[in-house]
Every structure is written in C-alpha cells, then in structure tokens.
Amino acid sequence: MTIPTMAEMVAEGKTPEILFWVGCAGSYDARAQKVSAAFAKILTKLEISFAILGQEEVCTGDPARRAGNEFIFQMLANQNVQTLNGYGIKKIVATCPHCFNTLKNEYPDLGGNYEVVHHTQYLNELLKEGKLKIQGGTFKGQKITYHDSCYMGRINGEYEAPRELMEALDVDLVEMKRSRKNGLCCGAGGAQMFKEDEPGRERINIERSEEIIDTNASIVALNCPFCSTMISDGINAKEKQDDVVIYDISEMILKSM
C-alpha cells in the first residue's frame, strides 16, 4: 500500500474523500498498528480516496484532559485544529473511539468543526450503500461476543453499527450479561491506560474478561485499541489466550472481503 499524506495530496491538487485519523495507539502500539493496516487495506480495496496527516498528526489530547492537564490538551488540540483547518478537512474517520469522541465533541469548542465518524460507523455506511461487499461464511458457526467500548457506547450512543456489521458477517453473536448501555468498562478510559490502577477487590479488565469467558465465545470483537490491550491482558491473566481470539471488527471484515 501507498498511503498519501494530506501534504502530498494537496501538492498534487487533489482532495481526499476522507481523512483517516490514525491516532497514537494506531501509530505506535504494535497490536493497534494491525488495525490501522486492516482499515487502510479495506479503503484501498474499495478504491476510496483517503489520506493521513502523517508527521503532522499529534495526539488529540484526550488522555491529558482526562488526567486533568487542560493546558496540554489545549496545546495539542489547537495545533491539530490549525492543521485540519489549514487543509480544509471536512470528514474524518478514526479507528479509536477516544480520538473519535474528542474530535467530534470537544474540538468544535476550539474552532474545529468536522464530520467525525468511527470506522465501524463508516464501514456500516459503506455496507448500506452497497459499496462494501461482505462475503458471509468466514466466521459462520463461530460463537462471538462483542464488547461495547465506553466512548462509542454510553458516551456517544452508538451500539448498532458494530452489531449490524457482525450480522453481515453471519456470526453467532452472544451478548454478555452486561452489554450496550450497561456494558462494563475495560478499565482504560479516563487516562487510566497510563497509570497504575487503584487497589480494589479485582481489576476491571479481569472482571470483564471473566464475563467474556463465561459466554463460551471463541472470539471477542472490539472497536477500540485501549479495550484491545486491557481485554488481551485480562484473557492472558486467566490463561485463556488459546481459547479466545481478539479481533477488531475491521480485521474481521477484511478477512471476509
């Protein structure tokens, strides 16, 4: 794949259909990089014009604001808004719900007004428009459960897009006892990803992983790099890594195209 940056596209006098916001995890975390690559491969296969900011993209500032460092958030966010507005960006697709939430709900206060969608929402749009063709059968007969990320679910009220994509995949979806608006956090939100957790009776990701294991699902589908890290750690802690495979929904779709 050759993925152009916005600077390269502008130099050629072109305007991409969407800007793919890769995010910190999608850029630097080894597991999340695979999700970035999977989503980019889907866009490439569908011949959708897209670009990334590359070196011009900095952290949205979400962890800084959640941790209480408003100064750092403002500094990072203003830099991004200046860059995005400079390119006249209209539509952004993010694979991280944290980036999605910050760009969509918090950047408008700083002059950054864009159409921002999560990659599961965007892929579901393409599916409904007939642009994305999913060959059912790859996961047919496999019991799969789905973990609602907080920033997609309770915070932004999006529960259906990921499930509609999985329905097109012909999966046998088994919901956990806590799902949708009652879903349990993975334990990484609110900048918890970057600090030691407070002592308690049990780590949140362990409790969530136990709920996943209780479904007897062989696959857990996710839509967030933070959730992926936390659930993976939880599954490993329960020594069930050979029994439960963790996929981002985009990876499942790529396998079924």
Side-chain angles (χ1 to χ4, degrees), residues 26-211:
S27 297
Y28 300 113
D29 179 78
R31 180 65 186 88
Q33 285 174 345
K34 295 178 181 179
V35 177
S36 300
F39 183 58
K41 285 176 183 177
I42 292 171
L43 296 178
T44 302
K45 281 191 172 190
L46 297 179
E47 298 182 346
I48 291 170
S49 172
F50 74 102
I52 61 174
L53 287 178
Q55 296 292 336
E56 292 185 277
E57 180 189 296
V58 299
C59 178
T60 61
D62 165 78
R65 173 170 265 191
R66 303 296 168 252
N69 196 328
E70 183 66 15
F71 174 76
I72 293 292
F73 167 76
Q74 294 272 343
M75 186 176 70
L76 294 168
N78 280 310
Q79 183 178 339
N80 280 325
V81 168
Q82 186 175 0
T83 301
L84 293 167
N85 289 352
Y87 284 124
I89 298 298
K90 297 290 188 287
K91 186 168 185 174
I92 302 172
V93 181
T95 50
C96 173
H98 296 258
C99 296
F100 158 72
N101 177 70
T102 304
L103 292 165
K104 179 177 186 288
N105 297 322
E106 299 179 355
Y107 274 30
D109 292 337
L110 301 171
N113 297 285
Y114 323 104
E115 180 188 356
V116 185
V117 295
H118 186 258
H119 72 305
T120 56
Q121 294 175 316
Y122 184 65
L123 291 171
N124 199 40
E125 284 177 21
L126 296 177
L127 180 67
K128 290 180 176 179
E129 291 169 1
K131 295 178 183 177
L132 172 62
K133 307 289 186 184
I134 295 177
Q135 304 297 323
T138 303
F139 297 95
K140 195 173 183 65
Q142 295 190 55
K143 191 177 288 187
I144 295 176
T145 192
Y146 171 67
H147 168 74
D148 288 288
S149 61
C150 295
Y151 278 71
M152 275 290 286
R154 284 191 300 274
I155 292 174
N156 285 285
E158 179 60 81
Y159 302 103
E160 300 310 320
R163 287 174 171 82
E164 288 173 5
L165 287 171
M166 286 187 284
E167 184 179 335
L169 287 165
D170 286 340
V171 306
D172 179 11
L173 181 63
V174 182
E175 296 282 7
M176 283 178 264
K177 62 180 180 180
R178 286 186 280 191
S179 62
R180 297 182 182 268
K181 67 179 181 180
N182 294 318
L184 180 66
C185 175
C186 73
Q192 285 288 124
M193 184 75 174
F194 307 100
K195 60 182 284 292
E196 292 299 319
D197 44 9
E198 290 77 11
R201 64 175 177 81
E202 188 174 39
R203 297 187 71 193
I204 296 174
N205 64 321
I206 299 293
E207 186 166 334
R208 189 55 164 169
S209 297
E210 288 171 347
E211 292 184 0

Side-chain angles (χ1 to χ4, degrees), residues 10-23:
V10 168
E12 295 175 8
K14 298 178 181 177
T15 302
E17 185 178 328
I18 62 167
L19 173 75
F20 171 23
W21 187 273
V22 183

